[in-house]
Amino acid sequence: MNSITKSLLKSIKHGQAAWLRSNSTHSRKQCLPKLVLGIETSCDDTGAAVVDDAGNILGEALHCQKEVHLKTGGIIPLVAQQLHRENIEQIVKEALSISGVSVNELAAIAATVKPGLALSLGVGLEYSLKLVNKYKKPFIPIHHMEAHALTIRLTNQVEFPFLVLLLSGGHCILAVAQGVSDFLLLGQSIDIAPGDMLDKVARRLSLSKHPECHSMAGGKAIEHLAQTGNRQQYKFRVPMQHYRNCHFSFSGLQNLVNKVIIQKEKEEGLQKGELLPCVKDIAAAAQHAVAVHIVKRTYRAMLFCIKHSILSPKNATLVVSGGVASNQYIRKALQILADVNGFAFLCPPPRLCTDNGVMIAWNGIERLRAGLGVLHCTDGIRYEANAPLGIDISKRVEEDSIKVPRLKMKI
């Protein structure tokens, strides 16, 4: 073999090795999981998490403001804003530290931009955009309610479409999730949300003074006391029974409960703010009325979706998410409804039902996969305190005027 041939073979071998190294590096890059940092500040919880495109939660952190707001009897937006400002940097750093991921390794940064408390949303958006601009990362603006709706796809194998009921302190929504960023709105609360109503009833009953509930949020205190209360002692009229739509209303129910509280205070000779002996029974009756109202509207939504072939009766699923979805009494009532109608019934685990960074990061992954709403330029991006979810077809539901059969609920 002459020197020219040897030189040529050597050159070919070097070229093959370089090609293999190059291809190996390219292959590794392709196999690397996509990572998204999610930041949540829509209300009173500061959350952050890193999630990959396989659904692994690599790191998360959460600062809850509950104790502060319990002392003031409700969320004060300026206080919530200040607490977000004080904690957001540390929470994000903690989530990243636990995950072992640097900002440079992220595929994108996602943050809640709507809906929620304006002052709270502003803190999260401002901090997120600082990171985006510093590290030159794509930004994914997140709709808070969409994130709640799609959290179930992180924890369970759920295919579109599915019926989703979102229950929280600020929202009550029935919708069909047809895809990422593709929702049909069937109904929503026309006044206050169920979580807000239960919190207000708890405040009116002064449950923060109750020895069993002093450290509990209002809705949690109602649920706790209701477990040993007799709901049969009081009958609260279920709202909107003559309206054949999927909208909700809780303010009228709250007024009915308040009237009973005032009447019992007079009978017992107690002043407002003093604990009634019958608080457990009132809590049980109020919680039951909320559950029945929610079940009836959801029942109509199920019937509407099956009638119009929006969902298949063979593999229909009801997903319930949001903070109030953690209420076990309401959850059991909805489980009964799902069983009667042949729907699969799914809820995220309780810690993912309340506001958190994980759901924001996961929604970011979903949008990244679908190529929806991934921004490489953030000029003009704003937060929105109020924002609808999907296409509103609630009038079509009302026009159908579907009568809901009577349902026996033994809980």
Side-chain angles (χ1 to χ4, degrees):
M1 189 181 291
N2 60 38
S3 61
I4 295 173
T5 304
K6 286 180 179 178
S7 177
L8 185 60
L9 286 170
K10 191 175 181 181
S11 176
I12 289 169
K13 284 180 180 177
H14 277 301
Q16 285 176 330
W19 181 85
L20 284 169
R21 283 196 303 272
S22 174
N23 250 9
S24 175
T25 303
H26 179 68
S27 177
R28 283 199 302 272
K29 282 182 179 178
Q30 282 188 320
C31 293
L32 286 174
K34 289 183 178 177
L35 309 168
V36 171
L37 168 66
I39 297 173
E40 156 63 12
T41 61
S42 67
C43 189
D44 61 332
D45 287 334
T46 312
V50 178
V51 174
D52 69 17
D53 54 1
N56 297 306
I57 302 168
L58 305 182
E60 58 178 308
L62 184 72
H63 177 266
C64 182
Q65 303 177 6
K66 182 185 77 173
E67 289 185 12
V68 174
H69 298 302
L70 273 175
K71 293 173 183 175
T72 58
I75 298 169
I76 299 172
L78 279 169
V79 174
Q81 179 191 46
Q82 184 58 34
L83 290 171
H84 282 306
R85 282 177 175 160
E86 290 172 7
N87 291 285
I88 189 166
E89 184 169 9
Q90 180 56 38
I91 290 298
V92 171
K93 282 182 177 178
E94 188 179 331
L96 287 167
S97 176
I98 293 168
S99 71
V101 171
S102 70
V103 179
N104 286 318
E105 295 174 90
L106 297 171
I109 295 169
T112 309
V113 300
K114 60 184 177 183
L117 296 177
L119 295 177
S120 295
L121 288 169
V123 176
L125 179 58
E126 182 183 3
Y127 186 83
S128 301
L129 292 183
K130 281 182 182 177
L131 288 179
V132 165
N133 294 328
K134 181 178 178 180
Y135 294 94
K136 309 301 179 190
K137 294 293 176 180
F139 179 63
I140 307 175
I142 300 297
H143 190 299
H144 183 76
M145 303 316 295
E146 178 181 317
H148 271 307
L150 300 189
T151 299
I152 197 67
R153 284 167 49 86
L154 169 69
T155 58
N156 300 72
Q157 289 187 331
V158 184
E159 299 298 322
F160 296 114
F162 56 86
L163 180 63
V164 61
L165 171 64
L166 301 174
L167 302 169
S168 71
H171 298 89
C172 187
I173 294 172
L174 266 169
V176 177
Q178 298 189 120
V180 179
S181 193
D182 184 6
F183 290 81
L184 297 176
L185 179 66
L186 305 177
Q188 60 188 326
S189 178
I190 61 173
D191 40 57
I192 62 174
D196 187 22
M197 179 237 160
L198 292 171
D199 284 347
K200 286 175 176 174
V201 168
R203 283 200 293 274
R204 185 61 186 82
L205 286 168
S206 302
L207 296 189
S208 60
K209 297 177 182 178
H210 198 285
E212 296 177 32
C213 308
H214 63 88
S215 62
M216 294 181 183
K220 200 69 185 171
I222 293 284
E223 181 183 5
H224 175 75
L225 294 178
Q227 290 174 357
T228 49
N230 181 3
R231 64 177 175 82
Q232 302 288 350
Q233 289 296 320
Y234 302 97
K235 296 284 186 182
F236 296 119
R237 187 174 67 253
V238 177
M240 299 185 74
Q241 294 193 77
H242 301 297
Y243 294 88
R244 292 186 180 179
N245 54 39
C246 286
H247 290 314
F248 302 84
S249 172
F250 296 94
S251 61
L253 179 56
Q254 180 197 331
N255 290 335
L256 291 176
V257 177
N258 284 346
K259 285 180 181 178
V260 167
I261 294 169
I262 292 167
Q263 180 61 36
K264 295 306 295 181
E265 284 172 343
K266 286 180 180 177
E267 290 175 10
E268 299 287 343
L270 298 174
Q271 297 295 315
K272 181 179 179 180
E274 294 182 283
L275 279 173
L276 284 167
C278 58
V279 287
K280 292 185 176 182
D281 295 339
I282 293 175
Q287 179 180 254
H288 181 71
V290 168
V292 172
H293 181 40
I294 289 169
V295 164
K296 286 190 173 185
R297 315 319 273 185
T298 307
Y299 200 165
R300 181 171 288 109
M302 288 177 166
L303 297 174
F304 176 83
C305 289
I306 297 301
K307 176 184 175 181
H308 293 282
S309 300
I310 297 171
L311 298 175
S312 167
K314 292 181 181 178
N315 58 357
T317 299
L318 170 64
V319 170
V320 183
S321 191
V324 179
S326 300
N327 182 296
Q328 293 302 308
Y329 189 88
I330 293 172
R331 197 182 276 207
K332 285 176 186 175
L334 289 163
Q335 176 74 70
I336 292 168
L337 173 66
D339 292 344
V340 165
N341 287 279
F343 274 59
F345 179 73
L346 295 172
C347 294
R351 74 180 185 87
L352 295 181
C353 281
T354 51
D355 296 347
N356 60 85
V358 172
M359 70 180 197
I360 305 306
W362 174 248
N363 198 191
I365 289 288
E366 291 262 40
R367 285 179 163 266
L368 200 61
R369 282 177 181 165
L372 293 168
V374 182
L375 305 180
H376 295 275
C377 174
T378 57
D379 291 349
I381 189 74
R382 298 286 185 272
Y383 58 80
E384 300 173 50
N386 300 300
L389 179 67
I391 299 167
D392 189 345
I393 62 165
S394 58
K395 286 186 179 179
R396 279 181 55 194
V397 178
E398 191 159 23
E399 286 166 3
D400 267 20
S401 190
I402 296 171
K403 185 178 180 180
V404 173
R406 190 179 295 275
L407 180 68
K408 291 182 180 179
M409 290 196 305
K410 292 182 179 179
I411 307 173

